[in-house]
Amino acid sequence: MNILVCAKRVPMTGGTIVLTEDEQSIQTRHLGFTISPHEECGVEEAVRLIEANGGESVVLALGPSEAEEQLRDAMALGVDRAILLETADEVDGQATAAAIVAAIEAERAAGVEFDLIFFGNESADSGNYQVGIRVAHALGRPCVTGVKGITVQDGRARCEQETASGRDVYDVPLPAVITVKEGLNLPRYPSVPGRLRAKRKPLAASAPERRDAGVEKLRLRLPPGQGKQAEILGHGPEAAPAVVEVLRRAGLVT
Amino acid sequence: MTLVYVEHQDGRPDDASLQAIALVREITGGAPLHALLAGPGAEDAAAGLGAHGVATAHIAEHEALASHAPVALARCIGELIERLSPAAVAAAGSERGNEVLAHAAALGDLPLAANCVAAEAGDPLTVTRIRWGGSLLEDARLHGPVKLLTVAPHTVEAAEVGAGPATLERFTPSLADADLVVRVVETVEQSSEGGVNLADARFVVSCGRGAGSPEGFAPAEELAALLGGAVGCSRAVTIAGWRSHTDQVGQTGTKIAPEVYLACGISGATQHMAGCKGAKRIIAVNVDPEAPIIANADYAVIGDLHEVIPAITAELRKAGAG
Ligand SMILES: Cc1cc2nc3c(=O)[nH]c(=O)nc-3n(C[C@H](O)[C@H](O)[C@H](O)COP(=O)(O)OP(=O)(O)OC[C@H]3O[C@@H](n4cnc5c(N)ncnc54)[C@H](O)[C@@H]3O)c2cc1C
Ligand SMILES: Nc1ncnc2c1ncn2[C@@H]1O[C@H](COP(=O)(O)O)[C@@H](O)[C@H]1O
């Protein structure tokens, strides 16, 4: 069985977000980078399924050359090889999907068919909620979204979604596309030997074809009402009566 | 004209869908606003849409639409796009609203802007949408023959505009077997464990890394029980394996909207705050007066959560609560 996971390099924004002067992106000079927790669970699930069934796992990122860091991280967890689609700027959902589809078709031309393709339910930064679904349609494959439980058996995937009142179950034939959510599993930490091995695993970089954006980003803005300063109720246990007073005013205690 | 896909339950339209209608009314101008509904109870749910400004409600009738089938629903949207040539198609920025519109966008190779909070009529269509779970806004322009958008829940107010009842039009979409491969085949009702649902709780007390261990949550459990509330946590806690991910508040966890959110030993990363924006009042308990959460809370207690939480519980008991 072969599995592809798509993961996007995003900044770890911490407690406050600062924008660049041109309002096109987040100021990242002092920030680390990561992938979304959803996608981390996709990586973990791929590694577990390959450990259980044999085959190959591949991780793909579209982004700047520095995204190699996130691809190596995924390989440190056990993914076998990586594909980097290099772009300088952020691209919209339609263009991202088109580039990923082209890469999957190139793999097919080279004899690699993916039985499963994992995406995050939504990317951490842009949250377009669409790339996985677009890729699925372009490939003519079923797509289940927001999945928190996967069982693969007899060429089918049973997928579970969490709902307000319980779980909804889907049962789709492979090959399939599945978009996943954090909570699907508890991802492992990379080991030192894993990190060393990841340095030598294959990474193929190429530049995707450009495509006009359907959703054209004009500028980023911080939402209003940020940076209010809390009223200090007190220090240590002595503050308890003041806290209870807030609870009382909120109607939680009579 | 414009078209809104309306989700509904027990014969009533979902609030988030009515909010989507309110935003789309802004860009519809004098042109008619149409709605699409499918599944059991669709007709009942359509009855009240006229008051929200919907001129025509299309009811998709097909036995396969009895359980959620996102591709089939996207086909219904596709048929109406063909027939009505709307300038824009919208839905709620709910899990399913986002899903169904993404399928419709994929089928028609159309642009989709997810989770908009504002829109301005025109071609291209100008929207403001949320990123990072609401920590950031993006102004964007949508280019294409039909513009697809979803509306972030609780950012626009639904409003009745005093129009007459909507005209109902039933239609049977033509669906192929391939459109029905992805559909809910089984629904498992979770046995209620007697606990309070995090998303609906009126009081939530969360602990972060500052709790120090799984046992560190015992005082929070006690306080939550006393007030009929729920216990949450930060991601630092779930990845340490101290609590299950179902307790995680945040961008990739649960979004909460309690009367009071007591956030203890949590630094206040933007991804955590994205999950508790809906809280009426936030009280932070932190040993560090410089922690970012202090700048995003309404009230703060500077101190050790292991001392402060039991003190609050004791004070409540003294006051006769619980
Ligand atoms: C894409 C993405 C999505 C994410 N999604 C989420 C999410 O959904 N939810 C989430 O929570 N995080 C999320 N995160 C992680 C987030 O960025 C933070 O890493 C996380 O919230 C930190 O958890 P914390 O505040 O418990 O830990 P820390 O940041 O380590 O903060 C611990 C705090 O506890 C205080 N403290 C220590 N001891 C005590 C004590 N005894 N008493 C009182 N205070 C004490 C410290 O002063 C500090 O402020 C996400 C990150 C990314 C990149
Ligand atoms: N630049 C990218 N590189 C790799 N994967 C991506 C990229 N953008 C989006 N994805 C994948 O598509 C999912 C959905 O993204 P989005 O449609 O932007 O919310 C993400 O969780 C990723 O798995």
Side-chain angles (χ1 to χ4, degrees):
Chain A
M1 141 177 281
N2 297 319
I3 305 178
L4 177 70
V5 190
C6 295
K8 184 178 189 181
R9 171 183 167 91
V10 296
M12 282 191 275
T13 51
T16 47
I17 294 178
V18 181
L19 297 176
T20 54
E21 212 137 280
D22 66 2
E23 300 176 311
Q24 290 299 303
S25 53
I26 291 175
Q27 181 81 257
T28 56
R29 216 175 306 141
H30 306 291
L31 301 181
F33 287 80
T34 184
I35 63 173
S36 161
H38 297 328
E39 294 151 31
E40 264 173 46
C41 288
V43 169
E44 176 66 30
E45 197 72 9
V47 171
R48 286 186 195 183
L49 283 167
I50 296 303
E51 280 169 353
N53 299 291
E56 187 189 43
S57 54
V58 182
V59 59
L60 177 152
L62 178 138
S65 57
E66 291 85 353
E68 173 171 352
E69 185 192 343
Q70 281 61 50
L71 295 172
R72 297 274 173 214
D73 284 350
M75 290 192 284
L77 296 178
V79 172
D80 298 308
R81 67 181 167 95
I83 299 171
L84 173 61
L85 305 176
E86 275 195 67
T87 53
D89 309 319
E90 185 179 359
V91 270
D92 79 331
Q94 272 171 295
T96 302
I100 292 174
V101 167
I104 292 168
E105 277 166 355
E107 288 283 326
R108 177 184 290 162
V112 181
E113 289 276 0
F114 295 111
D115 303 281
L116 278 169
I117 307 177
F118 289 142
F119 289 88
N121 186 64
E122 82 276 3
S123 55
D125 57 348
S126 40
N128 296 315
Y129 286 83
Q130 58 189 253
V131 169
I133 291 172
R134 287 190 192 271
V135 170
H137 280 275
L139 300 173
R141 296 182 182 191
C143 178
V144 187
T145 60
V147 171
K148 280 195 159 185
I150 301 173
T151 319
V152 176
Q153 208 170 17
D154 305 326
R156 301 187 72 86
R158 188 184 152 91
C159 302
E160 296 191 5
Q161 260 172 6
E162 229 163 57
T163 63
S165 57
R167 291 184 163 237
D168 277 342
V169 183
Y170 298 75
D171 181 55
V172 293
L174 302 186
V177 172
I178 301 178
T179 84
V180 305
K181 279 195 180 175
E182 185 177 25
L184 170 67
N185 52 43
L186 191 57
R188 69 194 71 186
Y189 286 100
S191 63
V192 174
R195 289 221 170 271
L196 292 174
R197 268 197 300 277
K199 284 190 182 157
R200 293 189 303 270
K201 288 184 180 175
L203 183 152
S206 63
E209 246 174 72
R210 292 192 71 92
R211 181 189 155 139
D212 286 340
V215 180
E216 177 200 358
K217 177 173 74 183
L218 298 175
R219 76 186 66 81
L220 300 179
R221 288 189 280 132
L222 294 176
Q226 294 217 320
K228 52 182 172 194
Q229 200 61 34
E231 174 189 334
I232 306 291
L233 296 175
H235 289 73
E238 282 73 50
V243 172
V244 170
E245 183 50 35
V246 174
L247 296 172
R248 185 172 288 123
R249 268 186 272 139
L252 293 169
V253 269
T254 45
Chain B
M1 55 87 53
T2 52
L3 175 68
V4 178
Y5 165 62
V6 174
E7 293 175 78
H8 55 89
Q9 214 170 14
D10 305 324
R12 297 158 56 106
D14 289 0
D15 287 343
S17 291
L18 295 177
Q19 293 158 12
I21 289 173
L23 184 122
V24 169
R25 251 192 344 253
E26 305 274 311
I27 56 168
T28 306
L33 202 165
H34 289 222
L36 164 68
L37 300 93
E43 259 184 53
D44 289 340
L49 292 181
H52 289 265
V54 172
T56 308
H58 302 266
I59 312 289
E61 296 184 315
H62 196 293
E63 57 181 16
L65 296 171
S67 70
H68 181 64
V71 184
L73 292 168
R75 287 277 177 214
C76 296
I77 292 175
E79 269 189 33
L80 292 179
I81 289 178
E82 284 280 304
R83 184 136 51 87
L84 308 166
S85 309
V89 181
S94 59
E95 314 251 351
R96 288 186 168 173
N98 279 328
E99 179 193 32
V100 169
L101 251 64
H103 279 289
L107 287 173
D109 195 21
L110 298 166
L112 164 64
N115 290 312
C116 297
V117 299
E120 213 178 286
D123 191 2
L125 178 70
T126 310
V127 299
T128 301
R129 56 181 298 272
I130 61 173
R131 291 180 155 236
W132 283 106
S135 306
L136 202 57
L137 297 174
E138 171 189 358
D139 293 329
R141 272 200 294 247
L142 265 78
H143 303 269
V146 187
K147 284 85 173 166
L148 271 51
L149 64 150
T150 64
V151 179
H154 310 300
T155 57
V156 181
E157 253 183 84
E160 302 205 355
V161 291
T167 309
L168 293 196
E169 282 197 16
R170 293 173 192 81
F171 75 110
T172 306
S174 42
L175 300 175
D177 288 347
D179 300 328
L180 301 168
V181 171
V182 183
R183 61 176 230 284
V184 175
V185 292
E186 192 185 326
T187 295
V188 186
E189 297 287 334
Q190 214 89 330
S191 57
S192 67
E193 297 139 23
V196 181
N197 190 324
L198 190 58
D200 304 329
R202 295 183 65 232
F203 172 71
V204 176
V205 48
S206 283
C207 296
R209 200 192 305 277
S213 68
E215 295 71 39
F217 278 78
E221 294 280 3
E222 199 183 339
L223 176 57
L226 193 62
L227 291 177
V231 174
C233 69
S234 72
R235 181 164 186 258
V237 166
T238 48
I239 58 179
W242 299 348
R243 306 282 294 187
S244 133
H245 178 265
T246 45
D247 292 348
Q248 181 177 314
V249 171
Q251 187 181 338
T252 51
T254 302
K255 313 265 185 300
I256 60 170
E259 292 294 322
V260 174
Y261 181 43
L262 186 63
C264 311
I266 293 177
S267 61
T270 54
Q271 302 90 3
H272 185 83
M273 302 316 286
C276 61
K277 274 194 201 337
K280 289 247 175 64
R281 302 164 188 81
I282 300 176
I283 310 175
V285 177
N286 205 299
V287 285
D288 177 8
E290 305 288 314
I293 194 163
I294 309 288
N296 284 297
D298 301 289
Y299 306 96
V301 175
I302 310 304
D304 185 338
L305 68 91
H306 299 102
E307 295 171 7
V308 176
I309 300 177
I312 297 169
T313 306
E315 184 68 25
L316 280 168
R317 288 239 161 82
K318 213 164 69 187

